[in-house]
Amino acid sequence: MKKLIKIFVFSLILFQFTNLKAEVKPTLLRTVSLNNIVKSPSDVRFNPAGTKIFFSDFRSGQNVLIQYDVDTPFNISTIDFDSKVTLATNGGVDNITQPQGFEFNNDGTKVFAINDGGGFNANSLSIPYDFSSATTIADDGFHFKTGPDPDIGNNRSVKFNNDGTKMFLIDVWVNSSGRRIIEFNLSTPYDTSTVTEGNSFTISVASTILQDFSFDDDGTRMYVIESSTGAAARFIYVYKLSTGFDITTAKFAGKVQQVFESLGADGTNGTPLGMGFSEDGMKLYQVTYQDGAVGARDRVHEYDLSCPYGIVICEEDTVSNTSAQVDVAKQVIHQNSSVIFKRFDWLRRNEGNNNLNTNNINLNINNPILSALSDTLKNTFNQKYTKASVKKKKETRSNFKNLSFWSHGDISIGRTGDKATTTPQTLKVGGLMFGVDKKLKNNKFVGAAIRYGQGNTYNKTSDGFKLDSETLTLNLYSTNQLDSKLNLNTLLGLSFLKIDQLNSSDQVTGNRNGKQLFTAINMNSDSGYGEFNIRPTGGFMFGITSLSSYTDFNTSSVQDIYDTLVFNTGNITAGLKFDKLVEKTNFNLFRNGSIEYIQDLSSNIGYTVKSHSDLTSQRKSVKRHSLHNLKVNFGMESVSESGHTFGLNFERLQGLDESSHLQSLFFKFGYLRENNTDIAFNFDPLTNNTANLSYLKHYNYFDLKLDTNYSFMDENPGYGLNLQLSNTF
C-alpha cells in the first residue's frame, strides 16, 4: 500500500512538473526617443505593411493623431520624423481634446479616436492609412461616457473585431461596474451610430488604472495594459477566449511585468500607455510618456516575441497545422478533377477514333499555391490527332468495342501559407491514376478512374511540423454532347484520406483520417470563332470534406485535441479557349491556350481545439486565400507523318487580390509505328521516377508485348526486361 502511495505521489509531482510553463516575456529590441516630437504619446499603430507608424498625442494643446513614414518595415529606428502628417481630433460635436486610443477599420479607410472624457469621432481616409486624405465623419450621436452606457467611468481605448460588427471600449476606473471591457454590437460594420450595448467583462486581477487592451489576429487572446504615474511595477494581463471576440468566454491565462526601463525607481515616472502588434504578431510596440511635462520618458519601444502574440503563453501554431491539412484535402479534389477534365478534352478530340488509350506525363511547379485552390487548374492540349498508345483496341468482341483504358502520372512542388495568420509551408504531391471509359450512343462517354496519391507538407520554421498524406479516390464521370457544338462534362468523386503529422524530428505526433465527396461540372464548345477558333468555357466545383478528431501529442506537456472538422470548398470559372492548326511539310503543329477568371467560393473554415495544459477550448479560423484569380495557359503539340508526337503546355494562375500564384508545366510524347504496332513511354513519379518503355505487336489473335524500365532518381537504378505473350479478346 505504501509503495502505491509513493508511486501516486511521484506521478502527481511529475505531472505537475511537466505541465509547468515558463513565463513568456517580450524581449526589448530597441527604444526610440519621442522627446519633444510626440509630446505625450498615448497609443501606437502600424499600417499592415509596416511602412507607416501612427501615434496619438494627448498633451494638452496638441489634440492630434500623427503619422510618420518608416524606411524599414516595422523597425522603429528607421522612422522618418521629417515625414510628419497630423490629423486634428478636436473638431466635430464631440470635440476630442487630448486623444488617447485610436483604431483603423480593416482596410484603413477609416480611423476612430477616443479620449478619457467619452468623446469619440471618426474620419474617412480616401487613401488608406494616409491622414492627409482625411475627412471628418458626421457625429454618431453618442457620448460614450454617458450613452449608451451611463455607468462608464473613463474610457481610453477602442477596438473592433475583424469584420467591424463588434466594437469594444475599456472602462479604466474603479466605479460601480468595476474595471471592465465593454462590447457594443454594430448593425452596420464600423458605423458607430448603429451601436447597441452588449456584454461586458470585469478585469478583476488589476490593482490600478487600466490604459489599453488588444486582441490577437483571431480574437482568441486578449491583452490588457495596466498603467500608473508612479514608478512601480505594472503588468500586461493575458486572457484566452474560447470563441474569438466573445469576451464572455475570457479566462485569465497569466501576466508579465512590463519591463520598460522607464519603470525604474529613478523618480522620472515614465508611464506605460498604449500598445500595438506587428501584422504577423511577432513584435510588440508600446509607448511611454513622462508625467507632468514633455521629457526623456516620451518614448516608443519595440519588442521581439518568441511566437505570434507570445505574451505569457506560446501555443502551438494550430492555424498553420489545420490550414496545411485543409490544403491536403483541397489538393486531392484539384488533382482528380484536373486529370479527369483532361480526359474529357481527349475524348472529344478523338471521338471518331477507336483507339482512345493514352499515357501522359504531368509536371507541376508552383510557388506559392493558393490555400483555397480546388479548381480544375490545368488544361491539356486542344488538338485533333490520335496520339501514340501502348495498346490498340481490337474489335473481336462486341462487348469490348469502344472500351478504352488510360493512365496518368502527376507531380507537384509548391509553397503555400504566406499569410499573417499562417507560417509558410512547402509541399510535394504525386499521384497515379488509372481509368476506363466507354463510348455510348449519341457521342456520349461514361467512365471510372482510381487515383492513388502521396504528399508531403513542411512547415518552414526551425521547429516546424511535417504532414505525410496518402489518398485514394474513385472518380465517376461522363461527357455528353448537348448539340453539335456544346459539351457537358460531369464528375463525381469519393476520396479517403490518411494524414500523419510529424514533428521536426520526424516523430509521429498525430494521425487524422478523412473522407470527401465532390462534384465538378464543365461546359465548353467544340467550334469557335475566328482564325484561332476562340470559344467560351465555364465550370463549377463543390466539395465536402470531413476530417476526424485527433490529439496532437507534440510534447509531453503540450497536447492539443482537435474536434472533427467538416468544411466546404468550391469555385466557379468562366473564360475563353483558343487553338490553331499550322500545317507543315512533314508535320502538323497545333497551338492552343486559354484565359479564365476563377472566383473562390470557399469561406473561412472554423475549427475547435482544446489545450491539454489548461483544458481551454478555442474556436479558431483558417482564412481563405485569394478570392479573385486569373488563369492563363498556352501550349503546342506537333505530330509528324512518321507518327512522332510531342506536346508542351505552360500555365499560370495569378491571385488578383493577393500576391500568390501557381505555375504548371505539362508535357507528353509518343510514337505510333504502324497499324498493328505501338510504342509508348510512361513515367511514374511515385516510384523513384521510374520510366517505362513499352512495345506491343499484334499477331492475329495474340499480342506480343515487350517492357523495359529504368529509375532515374535511385542511387543504384534498377532496370528490367519483360516479355509477354497473351491472347487478345
Side-chain angles (χ1 to χ4, degrees):
M1 184 66 179
K2 291 182 179 180
K3 185 176 181 180
L4 290 175
I5 293 175
K6 289 180 179 180
I7 293 175
F8 174 77
V9 173
F10 176 77
S11 300
L12 183 62
I13 294 173
L14 180 63
F15 175 81
Q16 293 294 331
F17 176 77
T18 57
N19 281 277
L20 288 176
K21 299 188 291 290
E23 187 179 57
V24 180
K25 295 181 179 181
T27 301
L28 181 63
L29 183 61
R30 54 180 64 96
T31 295
V32 172
S33 174
L34 300 176
N35 186 9
N36 212 33
I37 298 174
V38 181
K39 302 297 180 64
S40 292
S42 54
D43 207 353
V44 58
R45 291 288 181 278
F46 277 90
N47 67 337
T51 56
K52 292 182 180 181
I53 192 171
F54 308 89
F55 299 98
S56 54
D57 190 337
F58 81 107
R59 175 63 53 187
S60 179
Q62 299 303 306
N63 309 323
V64 291
L65 304 180
I66 307 174
Q67 166 190 316
Y68 296 104
D69 292 337
V70 182
D71 295 335
T72 301
F74 297 108
N75 185 336
I76 62 173
S77 67
T78 66
I79 298 174
D80 179 6
F81 289 112
D82 293 329
S83 62
K84 180 178 181 179
V85 179
T86 61
L87 172 60
T89 62
N90 58 341
V93 176
D94 280 1
N95 187 29
I96 297 181
T97 59
Q98 297 181 265
Q100 297 251 9
F102 67 98
E103 190 60 272
F104 294 94
N105 67 343
N106 56 356
D107 61 3
T109 57
K110 283 186 178 181
V111 61
F112 305 84
I114 194 168
N115 68 2
D116 58 9
F120 191 101
N121 70 12
N123 284 266
S124 63
L125 306 176
S126 59
I127 302 174
Y129 301 100
D130 187 347
F131 287 165
S132 66
S133 66
T135 303
T136 302
I137 298 175
D139 184 69
D140 56 25
F142 291 105
H143 191 275
F144 282 93
K145 193 173 181 178
T146 58
D149 186 341
D151 294 325
I152 295 178
N154 189 303
N155 42 9
R156 297 184 176 181
S157 182
V158 56
K159 297 291 183 292
F160 294 89
N161 66 344
N162 290 335
D163 62 6
T165 57
K166 286 187 177 183
M167 183 180 75
F168 304 88
L169 301 180
I170 186 169
D171 192 357
V172 305
W173 291 111
V174 178
N175 53 33
S176 59
S177 301
R179 304 178 187 89
R180 56 187 176 139
I181 306 294
I182 310 168
E183 170 192 304
F184 297 89
N185 298 308
L186 284 70
S187 58
T188 302
Y190 298 106
D191 184 350
T192 55
S193 67
T194 66
V195 299
T196 55
E197 187 170 0
N199 300 305
S200 66
F201 179 77
T202 300
I203 308 297
S204 59
V205 293
S207 59
T208 185
I209 300 170
L210 303 180
Q211 175 65 32
D212 194 12
F213 71 107
S214 189
F215 294 97
D216 68 350
D217 61 305
D218 62 2
T220 57
R221 274 183 266 179
M222 182 172 68
Y223 308 85
V224 180
I225 292 289
E226 183 181 53
S227 183
S228 175
T229 57
R234 303 302 175 199
F235 296 91
I236 301 176
Y237 300 96
V238 180
Y239 293 83
K240 294 179 66 173
L241 283 66
S242 59
T243 302
F245 297 104
D246 183 352
I247 58 177
T248 64
T249 68
K251 179 180 178 181
F252 181 63
K255 64 181 181 180
V256 294
Q257 183 175 337
Q258 299 177 80
V259 292
F260 305 117
E261 57 177 336
S262 58
L263 291 180
D266 58 3
T268 54
N269 297 341
T271 300
L273 292 182
M275 64 181 294
F277 291 99
S278 61
E279 183 72 5
D280 62 1
M282 292 301 294
K283 288 183 180 292
L284 167 69
Y285 302 88
Q286 189 167 14
V287 289
T288 58
Y289 88 107
Q290 184 162 318
D291 183 40
V294 173
R297 296 306 185 187
D298 294 327
R299 297 179 177 181
V300 57
H301 310 266
E302 178 182 334
Y303 290 82
D304 277 340
L305 302 179
S306 56
C307 64
Y309 304 94
I311 305 175
V312 173
I313 50 176
C314 267
E315 297 178 311
E316 185 183 354
D317 187 2
T318 65
V319 175
S320 292
N321 285 15
T322 305
S323 176
Q325 295 165 7
V326 169
D327 283 340
V328 168
K330 290 182 177 181
Q331 279 293 324
V332 173
I333 300 177
H334 161 57
Q335 296 290 346
N336 281 275
S337 58
S338 177
V339 174
I340 295 298
F341 278 101
K342 291 179 187 296
R343 184 61 179 175
F344 288 145
D345 288 340
W346 170 268
L347 291 172
R348 284 303 170 195
R349 288 193 301 267
N350 297 275
E351 61 188 9
N353 300 310
N354 289 327
N355 181 6
L356 298 174
N357 302 282
T358 62
N359 292 277
N360 298 336
I361 302 169
N362 190 18
L363 176 66
N364 302 321
I365 302 173
N366 44 79
N367 185 16
I369 294 179
L370 305 175
S371 77
L373 266 181
S374 53
D375 192 20
T376 55
L377 298 179
K378 289 177 244 167
N379 184 28
T380 189
F381 306 103
N382 290 312
Q383 38 78 36
K384 302 174 182 178
Y385 309 103
T386 302
K387 296 343 181 250
S389 65
V390 174
K391 185 175 182 180
K392 194 172 185 66
K393 181 58 58 182
K394 284 182 172 287
E395 301 181 14
T396 55
R397 297 269 181 105
S398 60
N399 60 329
F400 282 91
K401 185 177 180 179
N402 297 327
L403 190 66
S404 56
F405 300 86
W406 57 275
S407 65
H408 180 97
D410 59 81
I411 185 170
S412 301
I413 301 172
R415 178 181 173 102
T416 186
D418 291 320
K419 298 179 74 67
T421 55
T422 56
T423 55
Q425 300 146 21
T426 61
L427 61 87
K428 178 180 179 182
V429 179
L432 191 62
M433 182 180 285
F434 296 95
V436 57
D437 41 51
K438 183 176 178 61
K439 184 177 181 180
L440 305 177
K441 295 180 180 179
N442 300 321
N443 289 326
K444 181 177 181 180
F445 292 86
V446 295
I450 293 178
R451 180 182 184 272
Y452 171 75
Q454 290 181 333
N456 306 113
T457 302
Y458 301 87
N459 190 323
K460 298 194 69 176
T461 59
S462 58
D463 58 347
F465 63 84
K466 173 185 175 183
L467 298 183
D468 285 348
S469 62
E470 290 184 279
T471 61
L472 185 66
T473 305
L474 172 64
N475 298 276
L476 303 176
Y477 59 92
S478 69
T479 176
N480 189 23
Q481 197 168 49
L482 300 181
D483 54 37
S484 59
K485 296 182 179 180
L486 190 63
N487 300 315
L488 175 64
N489 308 315
T490 58
L491 166 65
L492 180 65
L494 175 64
S495 298
F496 299 93
L497 302 84
K498 180 179 182 296
I499 303 174
D500 291 337
Q501 181 172 301
L502 298 84
N503 59 21
S504 57
S505 301
D506 285 337
Q507 296 175 324
V508 176
T509 61
N511 306 98
R512 195 165 206 174
N513 298 317
K515 52 184 179 290
Q516 62 185 185
L517 183 68
F518 61 92
T519 185
I521 299 174
N522 174 269
M523 294 186 69
N524 55 57
S525 176
D526 279 340
S527 60
Y529 306 93
E531 180 182 357
F532 285 89
N533 191 30
I534 299 173
R535 56 200 186 278
T537 182
F540 170 79
M541 188 281 294
F542 179 77
I544 302 175
T545 303
S546 175
L547 298 179
S548 65
S549 60
Y550 83 108
T551 300
D552 177 12
F553 297 94
N554 188 35
T555 68
S556 60
S557 59
V558 180
Q559 299 173 12
D560 292 319
I561 304 170
Y562 292 78
D563 285 354
T564 300
L565 175 60
V566 179
F567 59 93
N568 303 329
T569 55
N571 56 49
I572 56 174
T573 65
L576 297 171
K577 291 184 178 181
F578 66 88
D579 53 64
K580 182 180 181 181
L581 171 65
V582 180
E583 295 183 355
K584 301 293 183 179
T585 303
N586 298 320
F587 68 95
N588 290 323
L589 182 67
F590 191 82
R591 299 171 182 172
N592 64 89
S594 68
I595 180 169
E596 291 180 288
Y597 166 76
I598 301 175
Q599 181 171 352
D600 184 8
L601 303 178
S602 306
S603 59
N604 296 340
I605 298 172
Y607 67 97
T608 302
V609 58
K610 179 186 293 184
S611 173
H612 177 77
S613 59
D614 58 10
L615 298 180
T616 299
S617 292
Q618 290 184 300
R619 186 70 177 171
K620 290 181 172 286
S621 178
V622 175
K623 295 180 173 58
R624 67 178 175 186
H625 294 273
S626 185
L627 174 63
H628 305 285
N629 308 276
L630 187 67
K631 184 181 73 173
V632 179
N633 77 77
F634 56 90
M636 53 75 65
E637 183 171 281
S638 66
V639 179
S640 67
E641 291 181 353
S642 61
H644 292 89
T645 177
F646 173 77
L648 185 68
N649 186 265
F650 174 79
E651 179 178 282
R652 180 180 177 96
L653 185 134
Q654 179 68 53
L656 299 180
D657 45 13
E658 64 176 49
S659 58
S660 54
H661 68 273
L662 178 146
Q663 295 180 160
S664 303
L665 182 66
F666 175 85
F667 61 94
K668 65 173 73 173
F669 57 92
Y671 175 57
L672 178 62
R673 185 171 182 178
E674 54 185 76
N675 289 337
N676 64 341
T677 303
D678 290 303
I679 296 177
F681 180 79
N682 270 324
F683 175 61
D684 182 0
L686 296 181
T687 312
N688 296 321
N689 294 313
T690 301
N692 174 264
L693 182 65
S694 296
Y695 171 87
L696 181 65
K697 180 75 173 180
H698 303 283
Y699 294 97
N700 295 324
Y701 296 102
F702 294 92
D703 290 338
L704 177 66
K705 185 176 182 182
L706 183 67
D707 284 315
T708 182
N709 60 76
Y710 185 84
S711 176
F712 286 104
M713 303 301 290
D714 256 348
E715 294 182 2
N716 299 305
Y719 57 89
L721 185 66
N722 178 56
L723 182 65
Q724 178 181 319
L725 183 66
S726 61
N727 179 253
T728 304
F729 295 95

